[in-house]
Amino acid sequence: MADAKISMYLPPNVNPTQAAIAYGCRALPKLNEELQSDDLLTRQKALMALCDLMHDPEHVYTAISIGCLESLKALLKDTNDLVRIKTTEVLCIMATHNVGREGFLEHNVIQALSFLMSDAQPACRENLYTAFKHLAQLPAGALGIVNSGLIPSLVWKLQREEEEIQVLLLDTLAACLTEDATEALASRAVPFLKEKLLSTNCNIRSKAARTLIAVSVPPEGKIQVWQHDVIPILVHLLKDRDEEVQANAAGALMNATVTTEGKYAALDAEATRPLLQLLTSSLSKARLNAIKALTMLAEAPEGRKLLQPHVATFRALEEDFSPAVQRAAQIAIRVIEWKP
């Protein structure tokens, strides 16, 4: 007769690093209790389990309602590196859901996360900046970051973080500065963004130009873009090999050339030729931004004179598949053909 043997191996599909999840509605309350445990391994396993569960927005809603956010906020101060990393990962996943972003605002998670902006662990910082990026996609979330007074710190960090994190910071700043660019302008954001326009990383160049679109909406932003000689760099980026960079550079010029000083700075940098070339871009936003920037330049007599031979090009764009491009082309034609 065969002898019964007990296997030395773990059962299949069992993760020894993750807490066992209770059945049904008891699952999240049990994990919340384990998050508050004095035992390090118990806290780590509970966080590993939460990382899996938080991909479901229903679980996110339940977790918030039973107080998991308060437990997670407490764990952000844990002395163990792995606990802080996994806690920020859980919060990052929660921030991908609208219910999670709203929970962040209700439970003041922004301020709790901000204390880790100088954490020694890059993974921890990357998770928290990713969470901020997701949160900023919600207008109330972007305003929450602005009202928390974090914009000067985010601008300052832009000079010191590695490139992967710089991309996240630029995404966050672009959304936040759309709501309010006052603190960024007072924190020398324009000179810092000017430096990023010269980056060898095309993703950083593109996102820096996109952030400049937001920062140059208020009058003070337009003045600073002109004063810090950013316009010649933007004109140079109109010829960049990356279409997204070109489109965002045209968008920044569109705002910067509203002022008289901006118009003549762009004309001195010979912006009309590369902008006209963008009218045939495959990206509709590149065409739209280029038309609007050229319309701004056409308000100056010198710019209008340069663009009058190209009215036919604008007329062709009246048949563009994008209604926004069609309307912009019609306005451009009226400005170019205007006579005093």
Side-chain angles (χ1 to χ4, degrees):
M1 189 173 73
D3 295 328
K5 290 186 179 179
I6 298 175
S7 174
M8 297 291 291
Y9 300 101
L10 289 169
N13 303 321
V14 171
N15 186 347
T17 66
Q18 182 174 301
I21 300 174
Y23 180 74
C25 63
R26 180 61 188 149
L28 286 166
K30 181 176 181 292
L31 287 174
N32 192 31
E33 292 170 10
E34 292 174 347
L35 290 177
Q36 302 167 42
S37 170
D38 292 332
D39 180 62
L40 174 61
L41 189 59
T42 301
R43 297 198 302 275
Q44 291 176 342
K45 287 186 173 183
L47 288 166
M48 294 290 289
L50 272 178
C51 284
D52 285 346
L53 292 176
M54 290 302 99
H55 289 284
D56 186 337
E58 291 186 9
H59 287 153
V60 174
Y61 175 81
T62 304
I64 293 171
S65 64
I66 64 171
C68 276
L69 279 179
E70 296 303 320
S71 301
L72 291 167
K73 283 167 61 178
L75 290 178
L76 290 172
K77 302 175 184 177
D78 201 285
T79 55
N80 182 264
D81 291 343
L82 181 59
V83 168
R84 294 197 311 279
I85 290 170
K86 299 310 289 186
T87 301
T88 53
E89 185 179 339
V90 171
L91 291 169
C92 174
I93 297 168
M94 293 177 77
T96 62
H97 306 290
N98 198 48
V99 65
R101 294 190 282 267
E102 291 175 352
F104 276 34
L105 298 174
E106 291 173 12
H107 293 268
N108 199 25
V109 175
I110 297 173
Q111 204 64 42
L113 276 170
S114 68
F115 292 112
L116 295 183
M117 288 173 65
S118 297
D119 194 274
Q121 297 299 317
C124 195
R125 300 197 306 276
E126 185 172 354
N127 286 337
L128 86 86
Y129 288 129
T130 305
F132 280 167
K133 172 192 169 182
H134 293 316
L135 182 62
Q137 305 312 305
L138 190 71
L143 200 56
I145 294 172
V146 172
N147 292 338
S148 296
L150 296 180
I151 297 301
S153 298
L154 293 174
V155 171
W156 185 81
K157 285 288 183 183
L158 194 57
Q159 303 305 301
R160 289 155 182 83
E161 288 289 1
E162 53 198 56
E163 287 192 345
E164 292 78 4
I165 294 180
Q166 286 179 33
V167 170
L168 298 172
L169 285 166
L170 288 167
D171 280 331
T172 305
L173 284 169
C176 292
L177 302 190
T178 302
E179 300 298 323
D180 187 353
T182 307
E183 286 189 336
L185 290 168
S187 304
R188 293 181 51 81
V190 173
F192 291 157
L193 290 171
K194 176 185 176 181
E195 183 182 326
K196 296 304 167 189
L197 290 176
L198 302 172
S199 172
T200 55
N201 185 322
C202 67
N203 205 14
I204 289 178
R205 293 198 304 275
S206 173
K207 293 182 184 296
R210 187 162 68 92
T211 307
L212 274 168
I213 295 175
V215 87
S216 58
V217 169
E220 177 60 25
K222 295 175 173 62
I223 293 169
Q224 287 197 24
V225 168
W226 167 67
Q227 287 178 334
H228 290 286
D229 292 324
V230 179
I231 290 175
I233 298 174
L234 291 171
V235 172
H236 175 72
L237 290 179
L238 294 174
K239 296 172 278 189
D240 196 275
R241 63 180 181 274
D242 186 271
E243 284 191 318
E244 280 291 332
V245 175
Q246 295 174 356
N248 290 332
L253 280 171
M254 170 187 71
N255 287 340
T257 52
V258 169
T259 65
T260 302
E261 296 87 354
K263 285 179 175 61
Y264 283 99
L267 289 169
D268 289 343
E270 301 181 348
T272 51
R273 186 183 299 275
L275 283 170
L276 284 167
Q277 290 174 348
L278 274 187
L279 298 180
T280 58
S281 171
S282 60
L283 291 181
S284 61
K285 75 172 182 178
R287 298 195 300 277
L288 179 62
N289 289 343
I291 292 171
K292 290 184 175 181
L294 286 166
T295 304
M296 290 295 103
L297 296 180
E299 291 180 353
E302 295 86 347
R304 191 158 56 249
K305 184 178 179 181
L306 287 171
L307 292 172
Q308 281 171 350
H310 301 281
V311 170
T313 305
F314 290 94
R315 292 204 184 279
L317 288 168
E318 289 183 298
E319 306 300 323
D320 195 275
F321 68 85
S322 168
V325 171
Q326 293 174 16
R327 289 193 298 271
Q330 291 165 3
I331 294 169
I333 291 168
R334 288 202 297 270
V335 174
I336 294 168
E337 293 185 334
W338 179 82
K339 293 181 180 179

